[in-house]
Amino acid sequence: MAERSISELGEKIKQEKGIHTNFKDDMTYGEYLSLEQVLGSQNRLSDHHDEMLFIIIHQVSELWMKLILHEMTGAIAAIQRNEMQPAFKMLARVSKIQTQIIQAWDVLATMTPAEYLEFRDDLGKASGFQSYQYRLIEFALGYKSSHILKIYEKNPSLSAILKEAHQAPSIYDVTIQALARAGLPINPELLTRDTSITYGGDETVAKAWKTVYENVNQYWDLYQLGEKLVDIEDWLQQWRFRHMKTVERIIGFKVGTGGSSGVNYLRQVLDHRFFPELWDVRTVL
C-alpha cells in the first residue's frame, strides 16, 4: 500500500509539466533561505547524540525572538504614529509566536538529566541567560535592567545596540502616551520620563485604564491595545514558567552555566509585571 502511494505520487509529480528543474540562472529555495549556512550552524562540542537537540531548540527560539523583535519594533512605531490597527496585527502575531516558543520547551524536556550531563561541561560559561535578543525583548516591554549590559561589552557593536534599546521608550511608554493623546489625564512627568528606568506604576495611569475599561465603546482602540498587551505578558509569563520547570526537570537546583542561581532566579523573575495597571484594573472594575 505504501509503495503504491509513493508510486502514485511520483506519477502526479511527473504530470506537473510546469515544475521548474533548471536553476542554473535562477535562485533556489535553499539559496533564498540561506539554508546551507542555517543548517550548517549546529556545531556540537561533544559526540553526544542529544547535544543536537539542545542546539537546535535554542537556535529556533532565537529565530522566533528575532521575529518578535521585528513585530514589537513595528508595533511601537505604529502606536507612536497613532496607527492602531497595524499595531494590533503585529501584537497578535507576537502572541502566536510566543506559543511556538513555549511549545519548544516540551521538546527539550525529552532530554533527561543524565543525557544533559554528558555535554553540559562543554558549554563552559555559555548560557541562555546571555541571550541578547531576550534582553532586547525585555527592554521593548519595559524591563530595563542596566546591570545586565556588562555581559555584552565583549562585542562593541552589540553593546551599542543594547544600550540604544535600553534608552528607547518601551511599548508601555508609547501606550501611556496614547492614553494622554486620547485626552485621559496622565501625569505629565510620565510623558518626558527617563525611559531607561523600569516603569513602576502611576495612579493617573491606573485611573486612565479604569476609564477605558468602563467605557469600552468610547475608547475601543485603547481597550484593544490594553488586551493585546495583557496577552503578550500572559504568554511571556507562561514561557518563563515552562522555562523554569524544564530547567528544574533537567538540572534540578544546580547553578546555571552562566553563573545564575538557576531555578531560583527563574522563580524570582516570575513576580515581575510589565504592565501593572492593566492587571490591577481587573480588581477595581
Side-chain angles (χ1 to χ4, degrees), residues 117-263:
L117 286 174
E118 289 290 330
F119 62 88
R120 186 177 192 247
D121 287 346
D122 294 314
L123 303 179
K125 295 179 180 178
S127 166
F129 182 81
Q130 297 146 19
S131 169
Y132 71 86
Q133 289 199 123
Y134 180 73
R135 298 304 167 194
L136 289 171
I137 290 171
E138 285 189 329
F139 292 170
L141 293 175
Y143 183 53
K144 304 294 185 74
S145 49
S146 58
H147 68 280
I148 214 76
L149 293 173
K150 189 171 180 62
I151 292 174
Y152 311 99
E153 291 177 351
K154 178 180 179 179
N155 185 329
S157 59
L158 175 57
S159 181
I161 291 171
L162 282 151
K163 287 178 179 177
E164 182 180 356
H166 186 263
Q167 298 287 330
S170 72
I171 196 162
Y172 202 47
D173 287 316
V174 300
T175 295
I176 291 171
Q177 292 167 6
L179 291 170
R181 282 199 306 270
L184 293 160
I186 297 294
N187 178 359
E189 294 181 2
L190 293 181
L191 306 180
T192 57
R193 78 180 196 90
D194 181 354
T195 53
S196 69
I197 299 173
T198 300
Y199 174 76
D202 186 273
E203 184 61 29
T204 62
V205 176
K207 289 180 179 178
W209 281 123
K210 186 172 185 290
T211 299
V212 168
Y213 276 76
E214 289 177 337
N215 301 274
V216 171
N217 291 334
Q218 182 180 352
Y219 298 105
W220 179 250
D221 279 354
L222 291 171
Y223 172 70
Q224 280 190 287
L225 178 56
E227 287 300 290
K228 296 296 184 190
L229 295 182
V230 168
D231 285 343
I232 287 172
E233 180 164 350
D234 190 350
W235 283 115
L236 182 68
Q237 293 293 54
Q238 291 187 53
W239 180 90
R240 283 173 160 178
F241 179 78
R242 289 296 298 126
H243 183 190
M244 178 194 72
K245 295 308 292 184
T246 303
V247 170
E248 184 177 359
R249 175 173 178 156
I250 295 175
I251 68 168
F253 286 82
K254 291 185 179 72
V255 172
T257 51
S260 75
S261 57
V263 170

Side-chain angles (χ1 to χ4, degrees), residues 3-200:
E3 289 179 0
R4 188 176 70 183
S5 297
I6 292 171
S7 176
E8 289 174 352
L9 178 59
E11 287 301 317
K12 288 180 180 179
I13 292 173
K14 288 179 182 178
Q15 293 169 14
E16 292 289 331
K17 303 299 183 183
I19 293 178
H20 297 289
T21 57
N22 186 346
F23 286 91
K24 290 181 179 178
D25 300 316
D26 294 303
M27 177 179 65
T28 65
Y29 169 82
E31 288 169 341
Y32 173 65
L33 296 177
S34 301
L35 284 182
E36 187 173 345
Q37 295 96 309
V38 172
L39 299 179
S41 297
Q42 292 72 49
N43 302 309
R44 289 186 292 170
L45 298 176
S46 74
D47 293 327
H48 194 273
H49 176 83
D50 285 353
E51 190 182 355
M52 183 66 76
L53 163 67
F54 189 80
I55 292 172
I56 289 177
I57 286 294
H58 287 85
Q59 287 181 337
V60 168
S61 295
E62 290 291 338
L63 284 172
W64 280 128
M65 283 192 275
K66 183 173 183 177
L67 185 54
I68 285 176
L69 287 166
H70 178 69
E71 301 297 339
M72 287 287 293
T73 300
I76 289 171
I79 294 168
Q80 288 176 314
R81 296 191 302 266
N82 208 33
E83 297 174 1
M84 294 301 189
Q85 293 304 317
F88 296 157
K89 177 63 180 292
M90 295 172 197
L91 294 176
R93 184 174 291 160
V94 169
S95 294
K96 291 297 183 181
I97 296 166
Q98 288 175 296
T99 67
Q100 297 299 307
I101 297 181
I102 291 169
Q103 289 176 358
W105 292 121
D106 295 336
V107 183
L108 186 59
T110 63
M111 185 169 60
T112 67
E115 289 164 345
Y116 181 47
L117 286 174
E118 289 290 330
F119 62 88
R120 186 177 192 247
D121 287 346
D122 294 314
L123 303 179
K125 295 179 180 178
S127 166
F129 182 81
Q130 297 146 19
S131 169
Y132 71 86
Q133 289 199 123
Y134 180 73
R135 298 304 167 194
L136 289 171
I137 290 171
E138 285 189 329
F139 292 170
L141 293 175
Y143 183 53
K144 304 294 185 74
S145 49
S146 58
H147 68 280
I148 214 76
L149 293 173
K150 189 171 180 62
I151 292 174
Y152 311 99
E153 291 177 351
K154 178 180 179 179
N155 185 329
S157 59
L158 175 57
S159 181
I161 291 171
L162 282 151
K163 287 178 179 177
E164 182 180 356
H166 186 263
Q167 298 287 330
S170 72
I171 196 162
Y172 202 47
D173 287 316
V174 300
T175 295
I176 291 171
Q177 292 167 6
L179 291 170
R181 282 199 306 270
L184 293 160
I186 297 294
N187 178 359
E189 294 181 2
L190 293 181
L191 306 180
T192 57
R193 78 180 196 90
D194 181 354
T195 53
S196 69
I197 299 173
T198 300
Y199 174 76

